[in-house]
Amino acid sequence: MQNLTIVLSLKDKSEYTLAWIKNNIFSEFKYIVADGSLNNENQKYFRNINCSNLTYIRYEPDLTIKHYLKKLKNAYERVETKYVMACDNDDYIFKKGLLNILNEFNKNPEINLIQGNIGLVKKILNKYKKINKVYISNKFQNDKNKISTLRKSTLNYNPLWYCVSETKIQRDIFDLILDSGTDNIYVVEEFQTFLSLLFSEFKFVDYYYYCRLVDQKSSSHSELFNKYQLDCVFNDKFNKSIQTFISFISLKFKINQSDLFDLFRSYYLSKLEKNNLRFKMIINQYIKFKLGNFFVLLNKGIKNEKYLSNLF
């Protein structure tokens, strides 16, 4: 019986798709391919696939984070199996590990989310080589004290984006993330991780079930991370999404809001401190850009006090 659906979210990167199709489709699982690509290259590959356990859906392009989240929300709503997991087209799943995880659910009916080990490989001169660093699942288990669970997760942050969980959990999570209004992909990942821990009875197992391809950090990746760091300080939408997130957690799990604000204040400060020198350089560039544009506007006779006030 197929009891797990793998949701493959696509946005371009079609050069990986054929290899993904060849290595990741197994009769034991169902698949939903949620294609939000800007072009139609991925659609060409899936158009000719005849798999009864695979559903391909062409969505409008992922032009914004909101488009992306609406796509995922809709894809999860279409899942018919009890369990679900996310996948990228430059990664690989291990069938044996996933079957072991499904067996863990059968043996432990109280558990509704499982995270295993994720291997990392890098492509070097057209060959794939294992990296010494391996993504290992967290070692802590369920804690009835939810604030304690969050604290452990923020001190030893490990994303749960590729966890295997009950479908309802991820549906509820993406509803909340969409409602939060965040437009930062790193915050989406963090919210998904923290909410997954809060909403579930979880277990970490010592099975490899997923392998990630780690490329050299691209310029787009660096730009996104720089934006994430700047958003932490300057972006009102970021602040509002955090407030919405904290308010929901406080109400849902009867946790004091002050404790949550202290917890996440420490978490985000630690993120900046780890990248202190780099962040100073980013801030310096940001201030130069803002001030430069402000005086350009002044020179043109355009007064824009709001533009400068937003800087500080």
Side-chain angles (χ1 to χ4, degrees):
M1 178 182 176
Q2 295 166 329
N3 211 17
L4 169 66
T5 296
I6 294 165
V7 175
L8 173 63
S9 177
L10 293 175
K11 182 183 178 182
D12 301 328
K13 297 196 299 182
S14 57
E15 64 271 21
Y16 298 109
T17 300
L18 277 178
W20 187 90
I21 291 171
K22 180 180 178 181
N23 293 284
N24 289 278
I25 297 179
F26 303 100
S27 61
E28 289 84 354
F29 315 123
K30 288 189 175 183
Y31 299 82
I32 290 180
V33 180
D35 187 358
S37 298
L38 305 182
N39 57 51
N40 292 319
E41 295 305 309
N42 283 312
Q43 185 177 22
K44 293 176 184 177
Y45 291 127
F46 283 98
R47 184 183 294 157
N48 298 318
I49 292 180
N50 185 21
C51 291
S52 60
N53 58 331
L54 185 147
T55 301
Y56 172 85
I57 308 165
R58 185 65 166 102
Y59 289 89
E60 61 180 313
D62 292 345
L63 297 176
T64 65
I65 296 299
K66 187 174 182 179
H67 284 104
Y68 173 66
L69 291 173
K70 287 173 69 176
K71 177 187 76 175
L72 287 180
K73 171 179 161 57
N74 181 268
Y76 281 114
E77 286 173 350
R78 293 171 180 261
V79 173
E80 297 176 349
T81 56
K82 184 175 182 179
Y83 302 107
V84 68
M85 71 169 286
C87 187
D88 294 329
N89 70 332
D90 54 350
D91 298 338
Y92 297 90
I93 60 175
F94 299 146
K95 181 175 76 169
K96 183 179 179 180
L98 282 176
L99 292 176
N100 285 337
I101 286 175
L102 292 176
N103 190 44
E104 287 286 341
F105 283 123
N106 291 332
K107 292 190 297 184
N108 302 278
E110 75 282 3
I111 299 298
N112 52 20
L113 184 148
I114 292 179
Q115 170 77 37
N117 297 328
I118 297 179
L120 301 178
V121 295
K122 181 181 288 187
K123 192 174 185 180
I124 303 174
L125 299 176
N126 291 321
K127 293 184 178 180
Y128 293 97
K129 295 186 178 181
K130 184 187 294 185
I131 304 175
N132 290 334
K133 178 185 176 183
V134 178
Y135 180 105
I136 303 293
S137 63
N138 289 303
K139 298 304 179 185
F140 63 90
Q141 300 296 330
N142 275 297
D143 192 326
K144 291 182 179 180
N145 186 327
K146 294 298 183 181
I147 191 72
S148 176
T149 298
L150 280 177
R151 184 171 289 109
K152 290 174 184 176
S153 180
T154 57
L155 291 174
N156 183 26
Y157 179 73
N158 228 337
L160 295 178
W161 192 261
Y162 304 102
C163 69
V164 182
S165 79
E166 284 190 357
T167 302
K168 184 181 184 305
I169 291 174
Q170 299 306 317
R171 283 178 184 158
D172 291 345
I173 285 172
F174 281 100
D175 280 346
L176 289 166
I177 295 175
L178 195 55
D179 289 344
S180 77
T182 184
D183 62 353
N184 190 297
I185 192 61
Y186 288 95
V187 177
V188 170
E189 180 196 88
E190 290 169 341
F191 282 9
Q192 187 271 344
T193 294
F194 297 136
L195 289 170
S196 290
L197 291 172
L198 291 172
F199 278 11
S200 68
E201 295 296 322
F202 57 87
K203 182 176 183 179
F204 295 99
V205 296
D206 196 20
Y207 302 132
Y208 281 92
Y209 73 107
Y210 198 83
C211 184
R212 299 214 63 201
L213 174 63
V214 181
D215 287 327
Q216 296 290 342
K217 293 200 173 182
S218 64
S219 58
S220 61
H221 183 283
S222 298
E223 289 168 7
L224 284 171
F225 188 73
N226 291 348
K227 181 182 184 302
Y228 167 72
Q229 292 186 303
L230 289 171
D231 283 354
C232 290
V233 182
F234 296 110
N235 192 321
D236 287 340
K237 187 177 286 188
F238 175 91
N239 297 332
K240 289 177 181 176
S241 67
I242 295 293
Q243 290 171 7
T244 300
F245 178 65
I246 287 176
S247 296
F248 170 80
I249 293 175
S250 174
L251 185 64
K252 174 76 174 177
F253 299 101
K254 305 296 188 293
I255 301 174
N256 186 283
Q257 276 204 24
S258 296
D259 292 339
L260 289 170
F261 277 115
D262 288 342
L263 176 66
F264 286 104
R265 182 184 298 114
S266 298
Y267 172 67
Y268 285 108
L269 283 173
S270 71
K271 302 276 278 191
L272 297 181
E273 289 168 0
K274 288 177 183 176
N275 299 278
N276 192 28
L277 180 60
R278 181 183 178 190
F279 185 62
K280 285 180 179 178
M281 293 172 61
I282 297 169
I283 292 294
N284 186 42
Q285 293 172 357
Y286 178 81
I287 291 175
K288 285 181 178 179
F289 172 78
K290 277 283 191 178
L291 285 174
N293 278 278
F294 174 71
F295 287 106
V296 167
L297 292 173
L298 274 184
N299 188 46
K300 293 181 177 180
I302 303 172
K303 293 184 178 181
N304 196 340
E305 290 82 1
K306 185 178 180 181
Y307 188 92
L308 188 62
S309 66
N310 284 343
L311 174 62
F312 303 104

